[in-house]
Amino acid sequence: MPKSKLSVFLSLLLVFFSGAVLGAFAYRLYMVKSVLSTGVAAAPNRRPDPEEFLRQRLAEMRDQVKVDDQQLQQIQQIYEQTREQFGQIHKKMSEQSRAIDANQVAKIKSVLRPDQIPLYDQLRARHEADRKRDAERKQRREPPTK
Protein backbone atom coordinates (compact mmCIF):
# COMPACT_ATOMS: atom_id res chain seq x y z
CA MET A 1 0.00 0.00 0.00
CA PRO A 2 2.75 2.51 0.76
CA LYS A 3 4.11 2.08 -2.76
CA SER A 4 0.81 3.04 -4.34
CA LYS A 5 0.59 6.27 -2.26
CA LEU A 6 4.13 7.15 -3.36
CA SER A 7 3.36 6.38 -7.00
CA VAL A 8 0.16 8.47 -6.84
CA PHE A 9 2.13 11.35 -5.29
CA LEU A 10 4.88 11.09 -7.93
CA SER A 11 2.27 10.91 -10.72
CA LEU A 12 0.53 14.03 -9.44
CA LEU A 13 3.89 15.77 -9.06
CA LEU A 14 4.83 14.80 -12.64
CA VAL A 15 1.49 16.07 -14.00
CA PHE A 16 1.86 19.34 -12.08
CA PHE A 17 5.47 19.79 -13.24
CA SER A 18 4.62 19.05 -16.89
CA GLY A 19 1.75 21.56 -16.72
CA ALA A 20 4.08 24.19 -15.31
CA VAL A 21 6.64 23.53 -18.07
CA LEU A 22 3.96 23.67 -20.77
CA GLY A 23 2.53 26.88 -19.27
CA ALA A 24 5.96 28.50 -19.14
CA PHE A 25 6.62 27.50 -22.75
CA ALA A 26 3.25 28.84 -23.91
CA TYR A 27 3.78 32.10 -22.01
CA ARG A 28 7.24 32.52 -23.53
CA LEU A 29 5.90 31.83 -27.01
CA TYR A 30 3.06 34.33 -26.49
CA MET A 31 5.42 37.02 -25.18
CA VAL A 32 7.87 36.60 -28.05
CA LYS A 33 5.07 37.06 -30.59
CA SER A 34 3.71 40.06 -28.66
CA VAL A 35 7.10 41.72 -28.52
CA LEU A 36 7.73 41.05 -32.18
CA SER A 37 4.37 42.43 -33.23
CA THR A 38 4.80 45.61 -31.19
CA GLY A 39 8.36 45.93 -32.45
CA VAL A 40 7.22 45.75 -36.06
CA ALA A 41 4.48 48.32 -35.46
CA ALA A 42 6.88 50.66 -33.70
CA ALA A 43 9.59 50.30 -36.33
CA PRO A 44 10.03 53.37 -38.50
CA ASN A 45 8.27 53.11 -41.80
CA ARG A 46 10.79 55.14 -43.72
CA ARG A 47 13.84 54.54 -45.78
CA PRO A 48 17.08 53.83 -43.92
CA ASP A 49 19.85 56.40 -43.90
CA PRO A 50 21.89 55.84 -47.09
CA GLU A 51 25.21 56.13 -45.26
CA GLU A 52 24.14 53.61 -42.60
CA PHE A 53 22.86 51.29 -45.33
CA LEU A 54 26.21 51.50 -47.14
CA ARG A 55 28.18 50.82 -43.93
CA GLN A 56 25.99 47.82 -43.19
CA ARG A 57 26.35 46.38 -46.69
CA LEU A 58 30.11 46.86 -46.69
CA ALA A 59 30.40 45.23 -43.27
CA GLU A 60 28.39 42.26 -44.56
CA MET A 61 30.67 41.96 -47.58
CA ARG A 62 33.75 42.11 -45.35
CA ASP A 63 32.44 39.67 -42.72
CA GLN A 64 30.44 37.18 -44.76
CA VAL A 65 32.02 37.27 -48.22
CA LYS A 66 35.54 37.86 -46.79
CA VAL A 67 36.56 40.55 -49.30
CA ASP A 68 39.89 42.28 -48.79
CA ASP A 69 40.37 46.06 -48.40
CA GLN A 70 40.98 46.66 -52.11
CA GLN A 71 37.84 44.75 -53.08
CA LEU A 72 35.89 46.57 -50.38
CA GLN A 73 36.98 49.93 -51.80
CA GLN A 74 35.94 48.89 -55.32
CA ILE A 75 32.58 47.62 -54.05
CA GLN A 76 32.03 50.89 -52.21
CA GLN A 77 32.63 52.81 -55.44
CA ILE A 78 30.14 50.54 -57.23
CA TYR A 79 27.50 51.20 -54.58
CA GLU A 80 28.10 54.96 -54.79
CA GLN A 81 27.87 54.94 -58.60
CA THR A 82 24.65 52.95 -58.42
CA ARG A 83 23.20 55.37 -55.88
CA GLU A 84 24.05 58.28 -58.17
CA GLN A 85 22.38 56.54 -61.13
CA PHE A 86 19.23 55.94 -59.09
CA GLY A 87 19.30 59.60 -58.02
CA GLN A 88 19.42 60.72 -61.64
CA ILE A 89 16.51 58.45 -62.55
CA HIS A 90 14.52 59.72 -59.57
CA LYS A 91 15.17 63.33 -60.61
CA LYS A 92 14.00 62.63 -64.17
CA MET A 93 10.89 60.86 -62.90
CA SER A 94 10.08 63.76 -60.58
CA GLU A 95 10.40 66.25 -63.42
CA GLN A 96 8.24 64.10 -65.69
CA SER A 97 5.66 63.63 -62.93
CA ARG A 98 5.40 67.38 -62.43
CA ALA A 99 4.98 67.88 -66.19
CA ILE A 100 2.23 65.24 -66.34
CA ASP A 101 0.47 66.84 -63.35
CA ALA A 102 0.69 70.31 -64.90
CA ASN A 103 -0.72 68.93 -68.15
CA GLN A 104 -3.61 67.33 -66.25
CA VAL A 105 -4.40 70.59 -64.46
CA ALA A 106 -4.34 72.51 -67.75
CA LYS A 107 -6.69 70.00 -69.37
CA ILE A 108 -9.12 70.10 -66.44
CA LYS A 109 -9.10 73.91 -66.42
CA SER A 110 -9.87 73.91 -70.16
CA VAL A 111 -13.07 71.98 -69.38
CA LEU A 112 -14.17 74.28 -66.53
CA ARG A 113 -16.07 77.54 -66.82
CA PRO A 114 -14.18 80.69 -65.74
CA ASP A 115 -16.15 80.91 -62.49
CA GLN A 116 -15.20 77.30 -61.62
CA ILE A 117 -11.44 77.74 -62.02
CA PRO A 118 -10.91 79.56 -58.68
CA LEU A 119 -12.95 76.86 -56.94
CA TYR A 120 -10.82 74.17 -58.60
CA ASP A 121 -7.65 76.00 -57.53
CA GLN A 122 -8.95 76.07 -53.94
CA LEU A 123 -9.71 72.36 -54.12
CA ARG A 124 -6.22 71.62 -55.43
CA ALA A 125 -4.66 73.77 -52.70
CA ARG A 126 -6.62 71.87 -50.05
CA HIS A 127 -5.57 68.52 -51.54
CA GLU A 128 -1.93 69.65 -51.58
CA ALA A 129 -2.13 70.78 -47.94
CA ASP A 130 -3.66 67.42 -47.01
CA ARG A 131 -0.91 65.60 -48.87
CA LYS A 132 1.81 67.59 -47.10
CA ARG A 133 0.16 67.07 -43.72
CA ASP A 134 -0.08 63.32 -44.34
CA ALA A 135 3.57 63.19 -45.42
CA GLU A 136 4.65 65.01 -42.25
CA ARG A 137 2.49 62.73 -40.11
CA LYS A 138 3.98 59.70 -41.83
CA GLN A 139 7.47 61.00 -41.02
CA ARG A 140 6.46 61.34 -37.36
CA ARG A 141 4.69 57.94 -37.56
CA GLU A 142 1.37 59.32 -36.33
CA PRO A 143 -1.97 57.73 -37.24
CA PRO A 144 -4.20 59.64 -39.71
CA THR A 145 -6.96 61.83 -38.30
CA LYS A 146 -10.32 62.21 -40.03
Side-chain angles (χ1 to χ4, degrees):
M1 203 68 152
K3 266 190 167 181
S4 72
K5 285 185 178 181
L6 182 61
S7 65
V8 169
F9 176 75
L10 289 176
S11 297
L12 286 174
L13 188 64
L14 182 62
V15 168
F16 178 80
F17 181 74
S18 63
V21 169
L22 182 62
F25 177 76
Y27 178 76
R28 170 83 173 128
L29 185 63
Y30 172 77
M31 289 305 295
V32 167
K33 286 186 178 183
S34 296
V35 169
L36 286 177
S37 67
T38 57
V40 169
N45 194 10
R46 55 190 160 126
R47 296 165 63 191
D49 176 41
E51 296 303 319
E52 180 60 33
F53 177 80
L54 179 60
R55 281 192 296 273
Q56 183 180 19
R57 286 297 168 106
L58 293 175
E60 289 173 345
M61 293 294 289
R62 183 181 59 245
D63 298 340
Q64 296 176 17
V65 184
K66 308 291 187 212
V67 297
D68 60 33
D69 289 340
Q70 182 181 2
Q71 290 173 311
L72 197 63
Q73 192 174 32
Q74 291 172 339
I75 292 169
Q76 181 175 359
Q77 289 175 350
I78 292 168
Y79 275 124
E80 289 172 356
Q81 291 168 354
T82 303
R83 184 187 324 162
E84 184 178 318
Q85 290 172 341
F86 275 115
Q88 291 171 355
I89 289 172
H90 181 70
K91 183 179 177 184
K92 285 180 187 177
M93 284 177 39
S94 294
E95 292 169 358
Q96 290 174 347
S97 295
R98 283 191 292 275
I100 290 170
D101 185 55
N103 186 31
Q104 172 187 299
V105 169
K107 285 179 180 179
I108 290 173
K109 284 184 175 182
S110 72
V111 173
L112 299 176
R113 296 187 312 264
D115 62 317
Q116 294 172 321
I117 292 176
L119 299 172
Y120 174 65
D121 288 337
Q122 289 174 358
L123 178 66
R124 287 190 66 244
R126 190 173 70 234
H127 287 173
E128 182 64 21
D130 290 346
R131 187 192 64 75
K132 285 182 181 179
R133 186 190 68 239
D134 290 345
E136 290 171 359
R137 184 176 295 124
K138 188 175 180 181
Q139 267 188 326
R140 293 188 308 257
R141 296 181 298 275
E142 294 177 4
T145 56
K146 288 204 177 187

